[in-house]
Amino acid sequence: MIGFLRSAFSTTLFRPFTGQPAVRTVEAARGMKVRSSVKLMCDGCNFVRRRGRLFVVRMDLEPGRPVFLDELVQQPQLHTGKTVRVTGTLHAYSPVTDRAELVDGQYLLIVDTQLLGVQQYHVGQTYQLIGEIDSVMDQVPERLFDDAKFSQQIVLRARVGKSVDGLDMAVYKKSVHAVRKFLDS
């Protein structure tokens, strides 16, 4: 009877006396393609060995200058074509169109999330996004705040995003202003 049970169940699920875990954990690499051989994709790519594996990583990406939404909305031409780091609250997200709306107070920014890949976004959480400001916008979104101030001339093409929920925006703004003042002097 025991032999029948062992052959009927998978050995990875039914191991009562071996001391091994009942279910094996699978470690997935998010956003990485698995290949038998790797090669450099462009001039900015380098080989990096992490945890015994060889990765191709792009090294010439800019970290992004911290910019507030009110600065982007009031002076969109000043930031067009530059890499910026924007922090705000997620107001709306559409996975069909890969568009998101980031708000900070009464200012709103349209974000193209196509380069971010599959992530779980929660409306109402605070996110920090790094990407390039593009001056071309395909269409004006339908869902917007009635009294929000936004620029129809720019869109953020986000390439990195993370949740920074719990961040005190007042302290963050003060620290960014202090760093700017220090770097300008």
mmCIF file of all heavy atoms in Angstrom, residues 72-88:
data_model
loop_
_atom_site.group_PDB
_atom_site.id
_atom_site.type_symbol
_atom_site.label_atom_id
_atom_site.label_comp_id
_atom_site.label_asym_id
_atom_site.label_seq_id
_atom_site.Cartn_x
_atom_site.Cartn_y
_atom_site.Cartn_z
ATOM 1 N N LEU A 72 7.050 70.167 -13.355
ATOM 2 C CA LEU A 72 6.834 69.576 -14.678
ATOM 3 C C LEU A 72 5.631 70.195 -15.382
ATOM 4 O O LEU A 72 5.666 70.440 -16.582
ATOM 5 C CB LEU A 72 6.625 68.068 -14.560
ATOM 6 C CG LEU A 72 7.852 67.235 -14.268
ATOM 7 C CD1 LEU A 72 7.459 65.798 -14.028
ATOM 8 C CD2 LEU A 72 8.843 67.326 -15.396
ATOM 9 N N VAL A 73 4.565 70.443 -14.637
ATOM 10 C CA VAL A 73 3.346 70.973 -15.242
ATOM 11 C C VAL A 73 3.517 72.448 -15.622
ATOM 12 O O VAL A 73 3.069 72.879 -16.677
ATOM 13 C CB VAL A 73 2.148 70.773 -14.282
ATOM 14 C CG1 VAL A 73 0.919 71.504 -14.777
ATOM 15 C CG2 VAL A 73 1.848 69.289 -14.132
ATOM 16 N N GLN A 74 4.195 73.216 -14.782
ATOM 17 C CA GLN A 74 4.345 74.646 -15.049
ATOM 18 C C GLN A 74 5.383 74.938 -16.130
ATOM 19 O O GLN A 74 5.239 75.910 -16.871
ATOM 20 C CB GLN A 74 4.708 75.388 -13.757
ATOM 21 C CG GLN A 74 3.576 75.386 -12.761
ATOM 22 C CD GLN A 74 3.989 75.933 -11.402
ATOM 23 O OE1 GLN A 74 5.144 76.275 -11.187
ATOM 24 N NE2 GLN A 74 3.038 76.000 -10.483
ATOM 25 N N GLN A 75 6.439 74.118 -16.241
ATOM 26 C CA GLN A 75 7.484 74.339 -17.239
ATOM 27 C C GLN A 75 7.782 73.032 -17.981
ATOM 28 O O GLN A 75 8.842 72.435 -17.796
ATOM 29 C CB GLN A 75 8.756 74.852 -16.569
ATOM 30 C CG GLN A 75 8.572 76.143 -15.817
ATOM 31 C CD GLN A 75 9.804 76.479 -14.997
ATOM 32 O OE1 GLN A 75 10.642 75.638 -14.712
ATOM 33 N NE2 GLN A 75 9.910 77.744 -14.613
ATOM 34 N N PRO A 76 6.877 72.569 -18.838
ATOM 35 C CA PRO A 76 7.096 71.270 -19.497
ATOM 36 C C PRO A 76 8.251 71.286 -20.503
ATOM 37 O O PRO A 76 8.930 70.283 -20.681
ATOM 38 C CB PRO A 76 5.760 70.985 -20.189
ATOM 39 C CG PRO A 76 5.103 72.300 -20.324
ATOM 40 C CD PRO A 76 5.586 73.149 -19.197
ATOM 41 N N GLN A 77 8.504 72.411 -21.156
ATOM 42 C CA GLN A 77 9.562 72.459 -22.164
ATOM 43 C C GLN A 77 10.942 72.367 -21.527
ATOM 44 O O GLN A 77 11.895 71.910 -22.171
ATOM 45 C CB GLN A 77 9.483 73.757 -22.989
ATOM 46 C CG GLN A 77 8.214 73.891 -23.803
ATOM 47 C CD GLN A 77 7.060 74.456 -22.986
ATOM 48 O OE1 GLN A 77 7.250 74.952 -21.883
ATOM 49 N NE2 GLN A 77 5.853 74.361 -23.523
ATOM 50 N N LEU A 78 11.084 72.797 -20.292
ATOM 51 C CA LEU A 78 12.373 72.782 -19.605
ATOM 52 C C LEU A 78 12.864 71.358 -19.347
ATOM 53 O O LEU A 78 14.060 71.093 -19.347
ATOM 54 C CB LEU A 78 12.262 73.551 -18.281
ATOM 55 C CG LEU A 78 13.529 73.703 -17.458
ATOM 56 C CD1 LEU A 78 14.550 74.563 -18.202
ATOM 57 C CD2 LEU A 78 13.213 74.315 -16.116
ATOM 58 N N HIS A 79 11.940 70.410 -19.153
ATOM 59 C CA HIS A 79 12.302 69.045 -18.784
ATOM 60 C C HIS A 79 12.157 68.041 -19.927
ATOM 61 O O HIS A 79 12.461 66.865 -19.738
ATOM 62 C CB HIS A 79 11.444 68.595 -17.603
ATOM 63 C CG HIS A 79 11.567 69.477 -16.409
ATOM 64 N ND1 HIS A 79 12.664 69.471 -15.583
ATOM 65 C CD2 HIS A 79 10.740 70.420 -15.902
ATOM 66 C CE1 HIS A 79 12.511 70.358 -14.619
ATOM 67 N NE2 HIS A 79 11.345 70.953 -14.795
ATOM 68 N N THR A 80 11.706 68.469 -21.085
ATOM 69 C CA THR A 80 11.487 67.550 -22.206
ATOM 70 C C THR A 80 12.810 66.949 -22.662
ATOM 71 O O THR A 80 13.790 67.649 -22.873
ATOM 72 C CB THR A 80 10.812 68.283 -23.375
ATOM 73 O OG1 THR A 80 9.582 68.836 -22.914
ATOM 74 C CG2 THR A 80 10.532 67.339 -24.522
ATOM 75 N N GLY A 81 12.834 65.627 -22.798
ATOM 76 C CA GLY A 81 14.022 64.920 -23.252
ATOM 77 C C GLY A 81 15.009 64.588 -22.145
ATOM 78 O O GLY A 81 16.051 63.999 -22.409
ATOM 79 N N LYS A 82 14.712 64.931 -20.903
ATOM 80 C CA LYS A 82 15.621 64.672 -19.791
ATOM 81 C C LYS A 82 15.104 63.520 -18.932
ATOM 82 O O LYS A 82 13.923 63.216 -18.920
ATOM 83 C CB LYS A 82 15.778 65.925 -18.931
ATOM 84 C CG LYS A 82 16.435 67.065 -19.668
ATOM 85 C CD LYS A 82 16.625 68.243 -18.769
ATOM 86 C CE LYS A 82 17.283 69.378 -19.551
ATOM 87 N NZ LYS A 82 17.410 70.583 -18.735
ATOM 88 N N THR A 83 16.032 62.904 -18.201
ATOM 89 C CA THR A 83 15.677 61.837 -17.270
ATOM 90 C C THR A 83 15.355 62.454 -15.919
ATOM 91 O O THR A 83 16.144 63.225 -15.383
ATOM 92 C CB THR A 83 16.839 60.846 -17.121
ATOM 93 O OG1 THR A 83 17.162 60.316 -18.411
ATOM 94 C CG2 THR A 83 16.476 59.708 -16.198
ATOM 95 N N VAL A 84 14.180 62.123 -15.384
ATOM 96 C CA VAL A 84 13.724 62.703 -14.125
ATOM 97 C C VAL A 84 13.265 61.598 -13.175
ATOM 98 O O VAL A 84 12.959 60.481 -13.589
ATOM 99 C CB VAL A 84 12.570 63.714 -14.347
ATOM 100 C CG1 VAL A 84 13.027 64.899 -15.147
ATOM 101 C CG2 VAL A 84 11.385 63.050 -14.990
ATOM 102 N N ARG A 85 13.225 61.961 -11.893
ATOM 103 C CA ARG A 85 12.717 61.089 -10.831
ATOM 104 C C ARG A 85 11.521 61.811 -10.213
ATOM 105 O O ARG A 85 11.675 62.883 -9.640
ATOM 106 C CB ARG A 85 13.805 60.865 -9.797
ATOM 107 C CG ARG A 85 13.421 59.979 -8.644
ATOM 108 C CD ARG A 85 14.547 59.915 -7.645
ATOM 109 N NE ARG A 85 15.781 59.446 -8.246
ATOM 110 C CZ ARG A 85 16.339 58.267 -8.009
ATOM 111 N NH1 ARG A 85 15.767 57.446 -7.170
ATOM 112 N NH2 ARG A 85 17.454 57.918 -8.591
ATOM 113 N N VAL A 86 10.339 61.227 -10.361
ATOM 114 C CA VAL A 86 9.097 61.870 -9.937
ATOM 115 C C VAL A 86 8.439 61.024 -8.853
ATOM 116 O O VAL A 86 8.384 59.800 -8.956
ATOM 117 C CB VAL A 86 8.134 62.027 -11.141
ATOM 118 C CG1 VAL A 86 6.844 62.660 -10.715
ATOM 119 C CG2 VAL A 86 8.784 62.825 -12.239
ATOM 120 N N THR A 87 7.927 61.688 -7.824
ATOM 121 C CA THR A 87 7.235 61.011 -6.730
ATOM 122 C C THR A 87 5.834 61.588 -6.602
ATOM 123 O O THR A 87 5.658 62.803 -6.611
ATOM 124 C CB THR A 87 7.995 61.198 -5.411
ATOM 125 O OG1 THR A 87 9.333 60.760 -5.584
ATOM 126 C CG2 THR A 87 7.356 60.396 -4.293
ATOM 127 N N GLY A 88 4.849 60.701 -6.503
ATOM 128 C CA GLY A 88 3.470 61.141 -6.354
ATOM 129 C C GLY A 88 2.555 59.973 -6.024
ATOM 130 O O GLY A 88 2.978 58.819 -5.985
#
